[in-house]
Amino acid sequence: MHMRAVRVPARPSETHQGIEWLTNFGPRDTETAQQLLDSLHIVSETTFRQGLREHLGSVLAGEASMERPAALYGVRSCKPTDTMFINNVSPQVSGGDGGGSELIVQNIIRDVQRSLDTSVVTRNAMTIDLLRARRARSLVFVSDYAGSGEESLAYARAWLRNATVRSWRSLKLVRLHLVLFAATTTGLRRIRASGLFDGVSVLHRGMDLPSAQWHTDELWRIRKLCEDYARRPEDSAGWSGSEGLLVFEHTVPNNLPSILRQSRGRTRRPDGKWAPFFEHRTAPPGLMRDLVGYRPERNAELGLRGMGRVQPTGSGKLHVRYRGGIRDLVEVLGHIAKGHRHPEQLATDVSVSVPMARNLVFQAQKLGLVDSQTRLTDAGWKELRAAKAKPRVVVSRLQGSQEPYYPGALRESW
């Protein structure tokens, strides 16, 4: 029996384009540039499709605030003056400038619609008359990514400029929801602060400079690098300053730091020509094939660092009671101890999806480690102290273990 080899994506800095891109920087900046490059997250189209499809289905089936039936629409670009259903403005997706994202999201919406009863979702409600006739109670806008958040906000505003839709919402006859595969810290904050949506559900939060596992001085150096080498320093942090680090197989977002996208810049190369990595919003042939599925290695030490000084008084029984996922659960306890209680914040802290973070909190509650307000109980503090106190063991030979082994391809990701 032959086992199929597991494909391991290359580090961005180890690709031909990555090696060439690093020659743009002076000797003192090369290490910082490599740190930035290797912090990218490269999501395959398969992972994206499966993740968004399952997340959307879960939201429609289980979201308490989601009134049914719901009408589903893919977010698309809208002008500041657009009004939905007026002057040929339609929710119909045509492809446009979305780099393929809008059509992929539309395909996912169709798949989800087919899998759910019409009492849950209404199909192809592309006119206001159909929305009225079918008595849609929720308008659900779906998108792959909120980098700056501006596209999702502009789309919602186009709907709310329609007097009928605005009246329905005012009378609480219809609610607006946004479902996202991923969002940056900045983008999600802007969306929630806008007050345009009655509900926002995101599968992955972060994957940007603020949520990267860097120390404060490292983040400062990376931001300075982006400014120093950007062709236009005002665009150094990406569109609307959202500092993204997420790249899809089907598109390169414009909120990446500009030095990762630009074709010209302040290079230190002898020939004076900038060696691009992603040129504009496309990947050179073969690069995406090498990178797809890559994400930075997770540093659990950083997750446990900064929990505060605690005394080793715990029992450590958690290791017996909850062996699977112990690392994630202990890290979650550490971040809860620092005051982080929202699942989205914990997901960013521990580098897992938002549903996984919710499950970890639920498991911690079942074990009596946190209370219903997501605060550590006495038992939680004891387990955290026990985990903090465990010494580092260095061995010079292989040790036997009863722990199950999981190949990398089968571990939880995204």
Side-chain angles (χ1 to χ4, degrees):
M1 180 177 177
H2 296 282
M3 293 188 67
R4 187 177 180 181
V6 177
R7 175 191 167 277
V8 178
R11 282 176 172 269
S13 64
E14 295 172 350
T15 63
H16 171 72
Q17 286 82 4
I19 293 169
E20 286 295 305
W21 182 79
L22 289 172
T23 64
N24 291 310
F25 305 94
R28 293 183 179 180
D29 295 325
T30 302
E31 184 178 348
T32 301
Q34 181 177 346
Q35 188 176 14
L36 169 64
L37 188 61
D38 286 340
S39 295
L40 290 172
H41 298 249
I42 316 293
V43 179
S44 73
E45 184 175 327
T46 300
T47 296
F48 165 63
R49 283 179 180 271
Q50 180 178 346
L52 183 56
R53 185 185 299 115
E54 292 178 355
H55 182 52
L56 177 57
S58 175
V59 168
L60 291 168
E63 191 73 31
S65 63
M66 182 77 66
E67 296 192 39
R68 290 117 178 132
L72 311 183
Y73 303 95
V75 171
R76 66 175 186 80
S77 298
C78 285
K79 298 175 184 177
T81 57
D82 281 351
T83 300
M84 198 60 65
F85 306 119
I86 303 295
N87 295 331
N88 298 318
V89 177
S90 165
Q92 184 70 46
V93 169
S94 61
D97 298 324
S101 298
E102 293 172 1
L103 290 176
I104 294 173
V105 169
Q106 191 61 40
N107 289 336
I108 292 169
I109 287 174
R110 289 196 189 101
D111 289 345
V112 171
Q113 285 175 331
R114 292 190 189 106
S115 68
L116 295 173
D117 189 85
T118 53
S119 63
V120 178
V121 295
T122 181
R123 296 172 175 79
N124 302 318
M126 292 300 168
T127 68
I128 196 135
D129 291 333
L130 281 173
L131 280 173
R132 182 185 290 109
R134 296 175 183 177
R135 298 181 179 274
R137 300 302 306 274
S138 294
L139 304 179
V140 181
F141 306 145
V142 186
S143 183
D144 59 346
Y145 187 41
S148 66
E150 292 179 8
E151 186 174 62
S152 296
L153 293 175
Y155 188 69
R157 290 188 181 108
W159 278 84
L160 292 173
R161 286 192 194 96
N162 184 292
T164 301
V165 174
R166 192 166 60 249
S167 174
W168 288 346
R169 190 178 187 226
S170 177
L171 295 170
K172 300 189 184 302
L173 297 176
V174 70
R175 296 177 181 271
L176 270 59
H177 295 264
L178 180 64
V179 177
L180 300 163
F181 177 83
T184 64
T185 305
T186 299
L188 196 58
R189 185 184 302 119
R190 287 173 179 165
I191 288 169
R192 289 212 159 108
S194 72
L196 295 177
F197 296 99
D198 300 288
V200 180
S201 299
V202 59
L203 183 60
H204 299 286
R205 168 186 155 167
M207 290 175 281
D208 52 13
L209 265 62
S211 61
Q213 289 188 319
W214 299 326
H215 296 291
T216 303
D217 59 332
E218 292 175 319
L219 178 58
W220 180 86
R221 285 198 299 269
I222 285 172
R223 282 174 167 158
K224 187 174 188 304
L225 177 91
C226 293
E227 292 176 3
D228 290 346
Y229 287 86
R231 182 188 175 197
R232 295 181 299 175
E234 65 274 13
D235 186 41
S236 64
W239 180 260
S240 200
S242 47
E243 301 182 318
L245 291 173
L246 173 62
V247 177
F248 291 98
E249 183 179 6
H250 58 273
T251 188
V252 177
N254 64 359
N255 74 318
L256 292 177
S258 61
I259 60 174
L260 293 167
R261 298 177 285 111
Q262 65 192 18
S263 56
R264 287 183 289 171
R266 303 175 181 183
T267 184
R268 300 295 187 270
R269 286 165 56 98
D271 61 6
K273 296 181 180 179
W274 181 266
F277 190 69
F278 296 123
E279 193 163 0
H280 302 302
R281 297 185 65 180
T282 61
L287 176 61
M288 199 58 77
R289 182 184 63 246
D290 294 336
L291 290 180
V292 70
Y294 172 83
R295 63 174 177 172
E297 293 180 5
R298 179 172 161 201
N299 189 341
E301 292 294 324
L302 289 177
L304 293 172
R305 194 178 298 162
M307 289 179 180
R309 295 188 178 182
V310 293
Q311 298 299 316
T313 59
S315 63
K317 292 180 180 177
L318 177 61
H319 289 261
V320 176
R321 297 166 65 191
Y322 192 74
R323 292 175 67 182
I326 176 64
R327 178 185 64 179
D328 292 343
L329 191 55
V330 169
E331 285 189 59
V332 163
L333 294 180
H335 290 290
I336 290 173
K338 293 190 291 183
H340 296 178
R341 298 177 185 174
H342 198 284
E344 287 176 1
Q345 180 61 58
L346 293 171
T348 301
D349 293 335
V350 189
S351 299
V352 297
S353 68
V354 176
M356 177 61 73
R358 288 197 184 98
N359 182 58
L360 288 167
V361 172
F362 176 69
Q363 294 294 340
Q365 290 172 337
K366 284 180 63 179
L367 294 171
L369 305 177
V370 299
D371 62 19
S372 59
Q373 303 299 313
T374 319
R375 294 174 299 198
L376 287 183
T377 62
D378 289 344
W381 280 111
K382 286 182 179 181
E383 293 296 349
L384 184 57
R385 290 165 184 155
K388 182 76 171 181
K390 288 187 178 297
R392 179 170 178 259
V393 178
V394 179
V395 295
S396 58
R397 57 189 177 86
L398 293 176
Q399 298 288 314
S401 173
Q402 299 302 313
E403 290 289 315
Y405 168 72
Y406 293 98
L410 299 181
R411 292 176 184 167
E412 187 272 335
S413 62
W414 294 102

